[in-house]
Amino acid sequence: MMSTSPTKPAIRPIGQIGVGEKVGFGLGDFACNLIYASLSSYLLFFYTNVFGITAAAASFLFLVVRFVDALSDPIIGFFVLELSN
């Protein structure tokens, strides 16, 4: 009589990500970027057609906000890490 033992699931080496996980993370990122792109497009339309500024001025406004965000995020992250300990 042969004994039947349950098969062990295949274990992936550390650092490998399966296709399902890649697709899941990609779809989550796509959803975030879809919302961001929609809001940015609406803001550009609002600034140019309703508020009355030029497209170049609105683009410069978006650029300045990106630079401020790029500089403030590491600073805020540092404070969060230091104050949480």
Side-chain angles (χ1 to χ4, degrees), residues 1 8 13 24 35 37-38 40 42 44 54 59 62-63 70 75 79 81 84:
M1 190 179 236
K8 294 181 181 178
I35 297 298
S38 300
S40 295
Y42 176 74
L44 185 60
T54 64
S59 300
F62 286 159
L63 181 68
I75 295 168
F79 284 124
L81 286 176
S84 65

Side-chain angles (χ1 to χ4, degrees), residues 10-85:
I11 299 175
R12 291 188 299 239
I14 295 175
Q16 284 189 343
I17 299 173
V19 175
E21 289 174 294
K22 290 178 184 178
V23 169
F25 278 106
L27 289 175
D29 191 47
F30 174 74
C32 290
N33 284 325
L34 182 67
I35 297 298
Y36 177 74
S38 300
L39 287 174
S40 295
S41 298
Y42 176 74
L43 272 177
L44 185 60
F45 170 78
F46 179 79
Y47 287 153
T48 56
N49 293 346
V50 177
F51 203 61
I53 62 175
T54 64
S59 300
F60 183 71
L61 180 67
F62 286 159
L63 181 68
V64 168
V65 170
R66 286 288 184 144
F67 278 125
V68 169
D69 186 44
L71 294 175
S72 68
D73 281 351
I75 295 168
I76 292 171
F78 172 77
F79 284 124
V80 166
L81 286 176
E82 290 299 317
L83 294 177
S84 65
N85 293 332

